[in-house]
Amino acid sequence: MRVTVAEIVARLGGQWVGDPSQAIDRIAPLDSAGPSHISFLSHARYRAQLARTAAGCVIVAPALAEEAAARGTVIVTPDPYLYYARLSQWWAEHSAPVAAGVHPSAVIEPGAQIGPGASVGALSYVGAGAVIGAGTRIGARVTVGERCVIGARCIVHSGVVIGADGFGFAPHEGRWEKIAQLGAVRIGDDVEIGANTCIDRGALEDTVIEDGVKLDNLIQVGHNVHIGAHCAMAGCVGIAGSAKIGRHCTVGGGAIVLGHLELADHVHITAASVVSRSILKPGQYSGMFPIDDNASWEKNAATLRQLHTLRERLRALEKKLADR
Amino acid sequence: MRVTVAEIVARLGGQWVGDPSQAIDRIAPLDSAGPSHISFLSHARYRAQLARTAAGCVIVAPALAEEAAARGTVIVTPDPYLYYARLSQWWAEHSAPVAAGVHPSAVIEPGAQIGPGASVGALSYVGAGAVIGAGTRIGARVTVGERCVIGARCIVHSGVVIGADGFGFAPHEGRWEKIAQLGAVRIGDDVEIGANTCIDRGALEDTVIEDGVKLDNLIQVGHNVHIGAHCAMAGCVGIAGSAKIGRHCTVGGGAIVLGHLELADHVHITAASVVSRSILKPGQYSGMFPIDDNASWEKNAATLRQLHTLRERLRALEKKLADR
Amino acid sequence: MRVTVAEIVARLGGQWVGDPSQAIDRIAPLDSAGPSHISFLSHARYRAQLARTAAGCVIVAPALAEEAAARGTVIVTPDPYLYYARLSQWWAEHSAPVAAGVHPSAVIEPGAQIGPGASVGALSYVGAGAVIGAGTRIGARVTVGERCVIGARCIVHSGVVIGADGFGFAPHEGRWEKIAQLGAVRIGDDVEIGANTCIDRGALEDTVIEDGVKLDNLIQVGHNVHIGAHCAMAGCVGIAGSAKIGRHCTVGGGAIVLGHLELADHVHITAASVVSRSILKPGQYSGMFPIDDNASWEKNAATLRQLHTLRERLRALEKKLADR
C-alpha cells in the first residue's frame, strides 16, 4: 500500500502540516521509521524520540504540533493513538482483505446460518443451528457449537472453542454424574475472541458476552458467565461458572475470577490476581505476590506461613508494654 | 422434548405429588422457570425461591416435600441435584443425540481402532494405533496421538490434544537436546476432557488418567502424570510432569501442581494455589494471595517483601523486653 | 526396534563394558527395566536403584562405571542423560518416522513455502506467504498465519496458533478501537512449540522467537515479544506484549511476565511467579504464595491484609521502647 499524507487526511480526518504529497508505504514505530513511513506520538513521554525519528510523517496531538512540524510533515489530531488504530485498520483491509464466505474445507452443519459478508475460515466447524452475524470473521480452525449465536462484526481467532459443555457434575457415591449442558452461548456485536480461548455453553440458560467485549488468547469462560459490554481481558484469564462481570471492566493477564461472583461496572483487576469475593465498587483491585530474588523470597515466604503467630506475638508485646 | 411428570418419574424414579399429567417442555432454574418447566431445589438456602417460582414442577428432597407440594406439583427424591443431572442427560440424549461413527472430514490413521458406538467429530485427527473405546464421544477438532488409548463412555471436547510430546530436554552446552517421548497416554472409562486441554505422552512409560476423572478446559497435564480415579479439576489447571495425584482429589481453577510430587487420595486444592510439595494427608489446602483494593495491596505487598526483617525486629523487641 | 549394545555405541559413542552383543528392544527407567531394556543413571541420587535394576544395559558416568559393570553390561559416557536423549531420538526416528510433505487434508494458501524435508500434518492451515523451514515438522491441526516464518528443524505440536492478532486496542469513548496487527511472527531454527500454545503477530514489527527456544503447552506469547535464543518455558506461562526476554532464560509453569519488561540473559523465573518489573541481573527469582492447610492459610491470609498495619504497630512499639 502506498498513499500520500493528503489521502490519509482525506480518509481519516485531522490536519496535515508540511508536505501533503509525501508518499507513505508503511506504518512504523518512531524509533525505526524511515522516510517513507508514517509514525505516531501517543504519549508525551516518547517526545524525545520525536527529534530523532526519520519518519516521513508523524501523527501528533495539537500540543506537540509545532515541535513536530519543525522536523517535517505531520498530521495533527486530538488522539494520535486512535488515529493510528484507524489507519492500521485501513492498512489491513487494503493489504490483506478477508474474503466473505465459507472456506471449502470448513464444515457447516445443517441449519447453521452465516450472515451476509461473514467469513468462516479453513477447517472450522459450525454446529447445527448456530448463527454467525453479518460481517463476522471466523478464523481458521474454530469451533462454534450447535445453537451458539455470534453477533455482527465479530472477530474469532484460530483455535477458539465456543459452546463446549460447561463443567457441571453432581457428586454421587464418590463419582461425578454429568449435568448435561442444555444452554448455549450468546455473543453480541463487535466482540473479538483470541486464539484458543474457550467459552462454554450454559447449563440451563446461556453464557452471555455482551457487545464490544475483547478477549485475548487462552482465556477460559465458564458456563453461565455473563460479561458486560466493552470489557477487555488479557491472556490466560479464567472466569469460573456463573460469574457476572459488569460493563467496562478490565481483567489483567492470568487473573482468575471465581464462580458465582459479581463484579460491578468499571472494576479493574490487576494481572494474576484472584477474585475470590464479589466486588461491588468500581476501582482497581490487586492480589499478586511480589517477585523477589529467590533467597529473599524463601525467607519471606517461610515467615508468611507464620504470619498469624507473628501477629499474636506483636499483640502480646503490646499488651506487656501497656501493662507496665 | 415434551414429557409429563409421570413419564419422568417412570424413567428416573422418585415420587410425584400433585398432577402427574403436568406437561414439561424445559428444565429451568427456579427463578426463571415458567408453568411448563421443571426446576429443582438443591440446597435449603434457595428455599425462598420456592414460594416465588412459577415452575410447573419442582424436584425436592423429602424434608421440603410438603412445603413444595403446597404450591404445586413436585417430584420427591433424596438427592434433587443428582436427579436433575440424570434428567438433564435424558433431555440431551433426546434433543441432540450424537450419532455414532466417524465424521467424513475426520482423519483416522491406519491401525487406529474406533470402538462400537463411539463417535469422532468433524476435522478431528486420530493417530496410528490409537484406540477409542466403546461409546466414547470425540468432539470436533480433537487430536488423539498415535498409540494413545481412551476408554469407554468418555467425552472429549473440541480442541483437546492428547499425546503431544512431553516437555523433556537434556541441557548440553547451553542448548536443549530433545528427549524423544516414546510413551503414550492411557485414559480410563467415563473420563471427560474439556475444550483445548492438553495431555502429553510419557517419556518412556505412559501418562495415565484413571476412570471417572473430569478435566475442565485449558488444562495442561504433563508427561508421566498419573491422575487417580474420580478426580475433578477446574479450568486452567497445570499439572507438571510425573506428578502423581491420588483418587477423589479436586483441584480448583488456575492451580498449579509442580512436577514429581505426590498428592494423597482426597486432597483438595483451592483455586489458584501452587502445590510445591507433596501432600500426603487428605484435606483442603490453599495458597492464594488475598485480593484487595490496589492501594492497600501495594502497601501490604511492599511490607511483605520485608517480612523476614519485620520478624527479626519483633524478635529483637521480645528479647529487649525479656531482658529488662 | 531391536539393536545390540555394540550398535548403540557405534552410533552414539561411549564405551561398552560387558557383553556388546546384548540385544536391546526398549528404553526403560531403572526401576521397571527388564533384561532386554536399556536404562540410564543420570544422578548419583538414583544410585540405589542400580543394584536392584534388571536392565540388560545401563548408561552410566565414568565415576559409577565400575560399580555398574559389576552387575552387568554398561555404556560409559560423560553425560548419561544427554546420551539417553540422543538414544531416544534415534529410537523415535526408527519407530515412528515422520514422512516429509504435506498431508492431503492440510490447507496451504497460495504463496506459502514449505522447505525441503518439512512436513505439515493433517488438518493444519498455513497462510499466504508463510515460510516453513527445512526439516521442520508441523503437527496435526496447527495454524501458521500469513507471512509468519518458521526456521529449520522446528517441531510445532498440535493445536498451536502462530500469528493470530496481537491484543491491541485504542480506548475511545468507552469502547475499544481495534489496532490492526500488521507485523508477523519470526521463529528461528530448532525451536519446539507445545500443544495449543499461541504466538501472536506483532502490531507493526514482528514477534520474534530466536533459535533453540523450547516452549511447552498452552503458553501465551503476546505481540512484539522477543524471546532470546535457548530459552525454555514450561506449560501455562503467559508473556505479555513487548516483553523482551534474554537468552538462556527459563520460566517455570504458570508464571506470568507482564508487558514491556526486560529480562536479562540467564534469568530464571520460578513456577507461578509474576514478573512485574524488569530483571537485569541473572539469577533465580520467585514470588509464589506458599501453600498450607486451609485453616492456616485463612489465618495468615487475613493477617496479610493487615500487614502494613502490623508494621506500623511494630514501629510504634520500637519507638516506645527506645523512648523509655
Side-chain angles (χ1 to χ4, degrees):
Chain A
M1 185 165 173
R2 193 177 172 88
V3 292
T4 64
V5 167
E7 287 168 322
I8 292 172
V9 167
R11 186 179 172 111
L12 300 176
Q15 278 192 293
W16 55 261
V17 180
D19 177 10
S21 70
Q22 168 75 50
I24 298 296
D25 59 13
R26 187 174 175 173
I27 314 173
L30 281 173
D31 62 356
S32 65
S36 64
H37 301 167
I38 188 167
S39 196
F40 62 96
L41 184 62
S42 58
H43 288 103
R45 69 169 172 271
Y46 299 126
R47 194 172 176 171
Q49 293 181 18
L50 189 61
R52 293 195 304 266
T53 187
C57 178
V58 180
I59 306 162
V60 293
L64 291 164
E66 203 173 337
E67 182 177 339
R71 60 150 295 285
T73 303
V74 299
I75 294 174
V76 185
T77 179
D79 186 341
Y81 197 58
L82 177 66
Y83 198 95
Y84 153 55
R86 288 176 174 161
L87 178 61
S88 75
Q89 290 173 22
W90 184 27
W91 222 266
E93 281 160 32
H94 192 277
S95 314
V98 177
V102 175
H103 192 279
S105 65
V107 173
I108 314 290
E109 297 284 5
Q113 298 171 42
I114 314 294
S119 59
V120 178
L123 302 163
S124 283
Y125 174 81
V126 180
V131 178
I132 311 290
T136 282
R137 288 152 47 186
I138 306 288
R141 299 203 312 100
V142 166
T143 297
V144 181
E146 65 273 16
R147 293 181 291 115
C148 294
V149 176
I150 303 179
R153 298 174 306 277
C154 295
I155 301 176
V156 181
H157 289 286
S158 188
V160 166
V161 179
I162 295 168
D165 280 353
F167 196 64
F169 301 91
H172 178 55
E173 298 178 352
R175 287 152 195 258
W176 302 100
E177 191 79 30
K178 182 173 177 70
I179 296 170
Q181 303 291 303
L182 304 171
V185 177
R186 265 185 298 135
I187 294 173
D189 297 333
D190 302 301
V191 170
E192 182 161 347
I193 303 174
N196 281 351
T197 280
C198 299
I199 303 174
D200 279 350
R201 65 175 61 243
L204 291 173
E205 300 185 310
D206 293 344
T207 302
V208 176
I209 314 283
E210 292 186 356
D211 292 348
V213 169
K214 311 297 179 183
L215 302 180
D216 198 357
N217 300 353
L218 288 166
I219 289 177
Q220 154 67 357
V221 179
H223 54 178
N224 298 103
V225 165
H226 188 116
I227 301 182
H230 310 298
C231 285
M233 303 192 182
C236 306
V237 160
I239 311 287
S242 300
K244 186 162 168 33
I245 316 277
R247 295 160 62 100
H248 302 287
C249 294
T250 59
V251 182
I256 298 279
V257 179
L258 299 189
H260 296 272
L261 301 182
E262 193 174 337
L263 267 61
D265 294 350
H266 295 286
V267 164
H268 305 285
I269 304 298
T270 300
S273 302
V274 184
V275 182
S276 53
R277 55 181 175 86
S278 288
I279 297 179
L280 303 177
K281 208 177 124 190
Q284 180 85 33
Y285 295 83
S286 308
M288 181 206 286
F289 202 104
I291 196 165
D292 212 336
D293 66 88
N294 190 66
S296 301
W297 168 76
E298 275 195 350
K299 282 195 290 191
N300 289 324
T303 310
L304 177 53
R305 293 192 59 194
Q306 303 163 5
L307 188 56
H308 186 68
T309 313
L310 243 61
R311 184 183 165 194
E312 297 304 316
R313 282 163 56 187
L314 181 62
R315 191 174 287 169
L317 277 192
E318 285 170 335
K319 193 166 181 301
K320 205 168 177 179
L321 271 169
D323 289 350
R324 291 200 179 180
Chain B
M1 185 165 171
R2 192 178 171 88
V3 291
T4 63
V5 168
E7 287 167 323
I8 293 173
V9 167
R11 185 179 174 112
L12 300 175
Q15 278 192 293
W16 55 262
V17 181
D19 176 10
S21 70
Q22 167 74 51
I24 298 296
D25 59 12
R26 188 173 176 175
I27 315 175
L30 281 172
D31 61 356
S32 65
S36 63
H37 302 168
I38 188 167
S39 195
F40 61 95
L41 183 62
S42 58
H43 288 103
R45 69 168 172 272
Y46 299 126
R47 195 170 175 172
Q49 293 181 18
L50 190 60
R52 293 194 304 267
T53 187
C57 178
V58 181
I59 307 163
V60 294
L64 291 163
E66 204 172 336
E67 182 176 339
R71 60 151 295 286
T73 302
V74 299
I75 296 174
V76 185
T77 178
D79 186 342
Y81 198 56
L82 177 66
Y83 198 96
Y84 153 54
R86 288 175 175 161
L87 177 62
S88 75
Q89 290 173 22
W90 183 29
W91 221 266
E93 282 160 31
H94 192 277
S95 315
V98 177
V102 174
H103 192 279
S105 65
V107 174
I108 314 291
E109 297 284 4
Q113 298 170 44
I114 313 295
S119 59
V120 178
L123 302 163
S124 285
Y125 174 82
V126 180
V131 178
I132 311 290
T136 283
R137 288 153 46 185
I138 306 289
R141 297 202 315 98
V142 167
T143 298
V144 181
E146 65 273 16
R147 295 181 289 114
C148 294
V149 176
I150 303 179
R153 297 174 306 277
C154 293
I155 301 174
V156 181
H157 289 285
S158 188
V160 166
V161 179
I162 294 169
D165 280 354
F167 196 64
F169 301 91
H172 178 56
E173 298 178 351
R175 285 151 197 259
W176 302 100
E177 189 80 30
K178 182 175 177 67
I179 295 170
Q181 304 290 303
L182 305 171
V185 177
R186 265 185 298 133
I187 294 173
D189 298 333
D190 302 301
V191 170
E192 183 159 347
I193 303 174
N196 281 350
T197 280
C198 300
I199 303 175
D200 278 351
R201 63 176 61 244
L204 291 172
E205 300 184 312
D206 293 344
T207 303
V208 176
I209 313 282
E210 292 185 356
D211 293 348
V213 168
K214 311 297 179 186
L215 302 179
D216 197 356
N217 299 352
L218 288 166
I219 289 177
Q220 154 67 357
V221 179
H223 55 177
N224 299 104
V225 165
H226 188 116
I227 301 181
H230 309 298
C231 285
M233 302 192 183
C236 307
V237 160
I239 311 287
S242 299
K244 187 163 169 30
I245 315 277
R247 296 159 62 101
H248 302 288
C249 294
T250 59
V251 182
I256 299 279
V257 179
L258 299 189
H260 297 271
L261 300 183
E262 194 175 336
L263 267 60
D265 295 350
H266 295 285
V267 164
H268 304 286
I269 305 297
T270 300
S273 303
V274 185
V275 182
S276 53
R277 56 181 174 84
S278 289
I279 296 179
L280 304 176
K281 209 176 126 190
Q284 180 85 32
Y285 295 84
S286 307
M288 181 205 287
F289 202 104
I291 196 163
D292 213 337
D293 65 89
N294 190 66
S296 301
W297 168 76
E298 275 195 351
K299 281 196 289 190
N300 290 323
T303 310
L304 176 54
R305 293 192 59 193
Q306 302 163 4
L307 188 55
H308 186 67
T309 312
L310 242 61
R311 184 184 166 192
E312 296 304 315
R313 282 162 57 188
L314 181 61
R315 191 174 287 168
L317 276 191
E318 285 170 336
K319 193 165 180 304
K320 205 167 177 179
L321 271 171
D323 288 350
R324 290 200 179 180
Chain C
M1 186 167 172
R2 192 177 172 89
V3 292
T4 64
V5 168
E7 287 168 322
I8 293 173
V9 167
R11 184 177 173 113
L12 299 176
Q15 278 192 294
W16 56 262
V17 180
D19 176 10
S21 70
Q22 168 74 50
I24 298 298
D25 59 12
R26 186 172 177 176
I27 315 175
L30 280 173
D31 61 356
S32 65
S36 64
H37 301 168
I38 188 167
S39 195
F40 62 96
L41 184 62
S42 59
H43 288 104
R45 69 169 173 270
Y46 300 126
R47 195 173 176 170
Q49 293 182 17
L50 189 60
R52 293 194 305 266
T53 187
C57 178
V58 180
I59 306 163
V60 293
L64 291 164
E66 204 173 335
E67 183 176 337
R71 61 150 294 285
T73 302
V74 300
I75 294 174
V76 185
T77 179
D79 187 342
Y81 196 58
L82 178 65
Y83 198 96
Y84 153 55
R86 288 176 175 161
L87 178 61
S88 75
Q89 289 173 23
W90 184 28
W91 221 266
E93 283 160 31
H94 193 278
S95 316
V98 177
V102 174
H103 192 278
S105 65
V107 173
I108 315 290
E109 297 285 4
Q113 299 170 43
I114 314 294
S119 60
V120 178
L123 302 163
S124 284
Y125 174 81
V126 180
V131 178
I132 312 290
T136 282
R137 288 153 44 186
I138 306 288
R141 297 204 314 101
V142 167
T143 297
V144 181
E146 65 273 17
R147 293 180 292 112
C148 294
V149 176
I150 303 179
R153 297 174 306 278
C154 293
I155 301 175
V156 181
H157 289 285
S158 188
V160 166
V161 179
I162 295 169
D165 280 354
F167 195 64
F169 300 90
H172 178 56
E173 298 177 352
R175 286 151 196 258
W176 303 100
E177 189 80 31
K178 180 173 178 69
I179 295 169
Q181 304 289 303
L182 305 171
V185 178
R186 266 185 298 132
I187 295 174
D189 298 332
D190 302 302
V191 170
E192 184 160 348
I193 302 174
N196 281 352
T197 280
C198 300
I199 303 175
D200 278 351
R201 65 177 59 245
L204 291 172
E205 300 185 311
D206 294 343
T207 302
V208 177
I209 314 283
E210 292 186 356
D211 293 347
V213 169
K214 311 297 179 186
L215 301 180
D216 198 356
N217 300 353
L218 288 166
I219 289 177
Q220 154 68 355
V221 179
H223 55 176
N224 298 104
V225 165
H226 188 117
I227 301 182
H230 309 298
C231 286
M233 302 191 183
C236 307
V237 160
I239 311 287
S242 299
K244 188 164 167 30
I245 316 277
R247 296 160 60 100
H248 302 287
C249 294
T250 58
V251 181
I256 299 279
V257 179
L258 299 189
H260 296 272
L261 300 182
E262 193 176 337
L263 268 60
D265 296 348
H266 296 285
V267 164
H268 304 286
I269 304 297
T270 300
S273 303
V274 185
V275 182
S276 53
R277 55 181 174 86
S278 289
I279 297 179
L280 304 176
K281 210 178 125 190
Q284 180 85 33
Y285 295 83
S286 307
M288 180 206 286
F289 201 105
I291 196 165
D292 213 336
D293 65 89
N294 190 65
S296 300
W297 168 76
E298 276 194 350
K299 281 196 289 190
N300 289 323
T303 310
L304 177 54
R305 293 191 59 194
Q306 303 163 3
L307 188 55
H308 186 67
T309 312
L310 243 62
R311 185 183 164 194
E312 296 305 316
R313 282 163 57 187
L314 180 61
R315 192 174 286 168
L317 277 191
E318 286 169 336
K319 195 165 179 306
K320 204 168 180 179
L321 271 169
D323 288 350
R324 291 197 178 182

